[in-house]
Amino acid sequence: MMRVAIKFMVFTVLGLVLLVGLYFLAAFVLSRLSVHRAENAKPEVAIYLLSNGVHTDLVVPMVHPVMDWNTYISVTDTKDPAFDAKYVGFGWGDKGFYLETPT
């Protein structure tokens, strides 16, 4: 009975060591593979995440080859229409909580 328990423990430990070893081997081998970008891939867009702890905004370039937000957003609708905006932020969150939270 004791011999069976020891054999079971040895195989369990060897199995765990083998699994961990296979994991690290796979991580090493797969991290060496390179992926080539398709020649017709669209240009990348830098997207920023802005948060003040209460409200979160996604900030994107106003004009980019992929998207021109001037077709959807008018600068005249802002507080300073003379401002030449390079980025636009889209926020979400509870409007009441955002407006009524003391700074």
Side-chain angles (χ1 to χ4, degrees):
M1 185 72 169
M2 185 68 144
R3 190 175 211 165
V4 173
I6 292 173
K7 201 182 233 187
F8 177 76
M9 287 176 49
V10 168
F11 282 120
T12 302
V13 170
L14 285 176
L16 288 173
V17 169
L18 180 65
L19 283 175
V20 170
L22 285 174
Y23 173 81
F24 283 112
L25 179 66
F28 177 78
V29 171
L30 293 176
S31 68
R32 301 297 184 255
L33 298 177
S34 64
V35 178
H36 298 287
R37 180 182 295 199
E39 291 182 21
N40 60 355
K42 292 184 178 180
E44 294 180 0
V45 180
I47 299 175
Y48 302 98
L49 187 63
L50 180 67
S51 177
N52 65 1
V54 176
H55 192 79
T56 304
D57 297 322
L58 283 177
V59 180
V60 295
M62 192 72 170
V63 178
H64 191 274
V66 175
M67 181 69 176
D68 182 4
W69 288 103
N70 286 316
T71 58
Y72 297 98
I73 300 169
S74 174
V75 181
T76 58
D77 294 335
T78 63
K79 288 183 181 180
D80 185 7
F83 182 69
D84 185 23
K86 302 239 186 293
Y87 293 90
V88 62
F90 298 97
W92 67 90
D94 182 54
K95 181 181 176 182
F97 186 76
Y98 179 70
L99 293 176
E100 297 167 12
T101 301
T103 54

